[in-house]
Amino acid sequence: MIDVDKLADELWQAQHSLVPIPQPSAGKYAQLDIDEAYAVQTRNIQRRLDAGEVIVGRKIGLTSLAMQEQLGVDQPDFGVITDRMVTPNDGEIDVSKLIAPRVEPEFAFRIGTELSAAPTIAEVREAVEAVALSAEIIDSRVADWTISFVDTVSDNASSAGIVVGPWRPATPEGLTALIGTDIALVQDGETVCEGPGSAVLGDPFVALHWLATAIGRYGHVLTPGDTVLAGAVAAAVPLSGGADWHVVAEGFEPVTFTSSANC
């Protein structure tokens, strides 16, 4: 067993000092397993809650082959979103407060009814009340993004923040159409990555169902009002300062934000 509290301390310090740590699983935490990694994540989420933050949702990570190949992993993971991680649409993100940020275009779901710890995929569909486009800002408190699966899990699935666009009411036809809907990330007027909903485990609802059952194993459930990011449709792009960003897709209002590097 590894010292869960010590690794949590190191990641917490890295986040606030902006000095990343060496890859945990390649060094003194070589025996780190998945349950311990989620325990590390939970320790630092509790620190956020103790500081007054509120959980507003979850993120699913590593759902596309592009992201799995980019980070050298082979399965999804999940992290927690708090209110202080949310930038409003049309807002600004200061990249100087992050270590090595990247941005991903995704679908976001808003949960309307509470789910059980082991729902069916049909129950998951029924629970979704709205859909939106989103941008997830990811960052690694591990140096050079040299991470394994357990490293990113420990680091709250490498999550740093989200921007969510206007919500669109969920309909059966609209939810089915997500599989073939392309999302594009546009930087200063140029498309820098794009992909269809089918890139997310074949169907964004497969990812959402995976999340509902995965967190259920750790004693959590999705509840009304939760925002869930379904996972990136394409490989993440470096989030540089001094740029205008848009996430766009047919049938949705866009996500827009700017990135700065304030000192």
Side-chain angles (χ1 to χ4, degrees):
M1 294 180 61
I2 65 104
D3 189 332
V4 168
D5 290 325
K6 184 172 177 56
L7 177 53
D9 289 345
E10 292 179 13
L11 288 167
W12 185 258
Q13 177 63 26
Q15 178 179 330
H16 290 83
S17 68
L18 302 183
V19 178
I21 64 173
Q23 183 181 4
S25 65
K28 57 186 173 181
Y29 302 106
Q31 303 306 311
L32 178 65
D33 64 29
I34 293 176
D35 287 339
E36 290 170 333
Y38 278 117
V40 171
Q41 180 186 124
T42 298
R43 296 288 200 282
N44 283 338
I45 293 301
Q46 187 59 51
R47 280 184 160 121
R48 288 177 174 269
L49 301 182
D50 292 343
E53 297 184 42
V54 176
I55 293 174
V56 297
R58 308 272 173 170
K59 61 85 47 108
I60 312 167
L62 306 173
T63 53
S64 70
L65 179 61
M67 281 305 302
Q68 291 180 2
E69 289 178 343
Q70 188 177 53
L71 297 183
V73 300
D74 60 2
Q75 59 182 305
D77 67 352
F78 65 81
V80 176
I81 302 167
T82 71
D83 57 338
R84 293 186 195 169
M85 296 169 66
V86 179
T87 296
N89 200 24
D90 297 323
E92 180 180 276
I93 295 172
D94 182 359
V95 300
S96 70
K97 296 180 179 179
L98 301 168
I99 297 171
R102 299 174 178 177
V103 58
E104 306 170 335
E106 311 188 17
F107 286 115
F109 297 109
R110 189 172 68 207
I111 304 301
T113 57
E114 184 165 319
L115 285 163
S116 72
T120 66
I121 194 164
E123 289 170 335
V124 170
R125 284 182 177 271
E126 286 293 321
V128 173
E129 69 174 11
V131 187
L133 299 180
S134 65
E136 184 184 6
I137 312 307
I138 58 172
D139 196 17
S140 183
R141 276 59 69 166
V142 177
D144 302 320
W145 281 97
T146 305
I147 54 176
S148 69
F149 181 76
V150 290
D151 297 317
T152 186
V153 167
S154 299
D155 194 20
N156 196 27
S158 303
S159 191
I162 66 170
V163 189
V164 178
W167 293 101
R168 187 182 81 177
T171 65
E173 298 79 10
L175 296 179
T176 300
L178 298 181
I179 296 175
T181 300
D182 287 314
I183 309 177
L185 176 64
V186 180
Q187 177 184 2
D188 294 330
E190 179 181 351
T191 298
V192 289
C193 72
E194 61 184 322
S198 60
V200 182
L201 296 182
D203 183 338
F205 274 97
V206 171
L208 186 57
H209 179 249
W210 175 87
L211 173 71
T213 56
I215 66 172
R217 291 193 290 272
Y218 291 93
H220 303 289
V221 296
L222 294 174
T223 59
D226 281 352
T227 295
V228 179
L229 270 61
V233 299
V237 172
L239 180 65
S240 55
D244 292 315
W245 301 84
H246 295 75
V247 179
V248 298
E250 184 176 356
F252 288 88
E253 294 186 58
V255 174
T256 64
F257 65 97
T258 58
S259 55
S260 65
N262 298 320
C263 297

